[in-house]
Structure formats: structure tokens, C-alpha cells
Amino acid sequence: SKAKSVLERSLPLYEKCPPKNEKDSLWTLVHLGMVHRDLGDYKKAISLFQESLHIYKTHFPENYVRQASVLASLGNVYN
């Protein structure tokens, strides 16, 4: 899909920008996970949502409110 293509192009740009900061790519990963979920690629969607949750746990306070959105998206994959 066009959305998948555009989102995938953005991830390497985040990695090239010094200093590399995982937080910058966080919402791209979440949105890319949603695209993969919508395309039926559930394994990839789960991987992307889990990667997003890892970034939250690494860089944000415990129980940061936006984690709930990622958890809800992950839950929808299993639905």
C-alpha cells in the first residue's frame, strides 16, 4: 500500500539523523504496525507494536499514557 511505502521510507531517515533517537521513530512504528494489521500481516504488526512498547518502556516513565494506545492496537491484532 502507499501508506506502508511512505512510512517505511521514513524509518531510515530517523536512523541517519544524529544522534539516533528511538523516540523520534516511535509513532512511525505504531502507524506502520496499524498498516500491517489492516493488510492482514499480523506477525509484522505484532512485531512493530512490541518494538514501540519497548521504546516506551526504555525512554518514558512507567505507565506513560500513550502506551495504552499501543497496547490497544496490539490487542486489536489478536482480536
Side-chain angles (χ1 to χ4, degrees):
S1 79
K2 184 70 171 174
K4 179 178 171 271
S5 173
V6 171
L7 289 165
E8 286 175 340
R9 284 183 17 221
S10 71
L11 287 175
L13 297 174
Y14 286 118
E15 292 177 3
K16 290 180 183 178
C17 295
K20 182 182 175 195
N21 187 343
E22 290 180 313
K23 292 188 291 184
D24 292 337
S25 62
L26 181 61
W27 278 105
T28 299
L29 292 170
V30 172
H31 288 284
L32 193 54
M34 290 180 203
V35 169
H36 279 279
R37 180 195 62 212
D38 293 346
L39 293 173
D41 188 355
Y42 302 118
K43 187 175 181 178
K44 183 66 176 179
I46 290 167
S47 174
L48 290 162
F49 291 138
Q50 289 175 336
E51 185 176 352
S52 300
L53 286 171
H54 172 73
I55 293 169
Y56 271 121
K57 290 176 182 176
T58 304
H59 296 287
F60 293 89
E62 188 176 346
N63 296 323
Y64 186 70
V65 69
R66 290 195 182 245
Q67 285 185 44
S69 297
V70 179
L71 287 168
S73 295
L74 180 59
N76 284 331
V77 175
Y78 293 115
N79 192 4

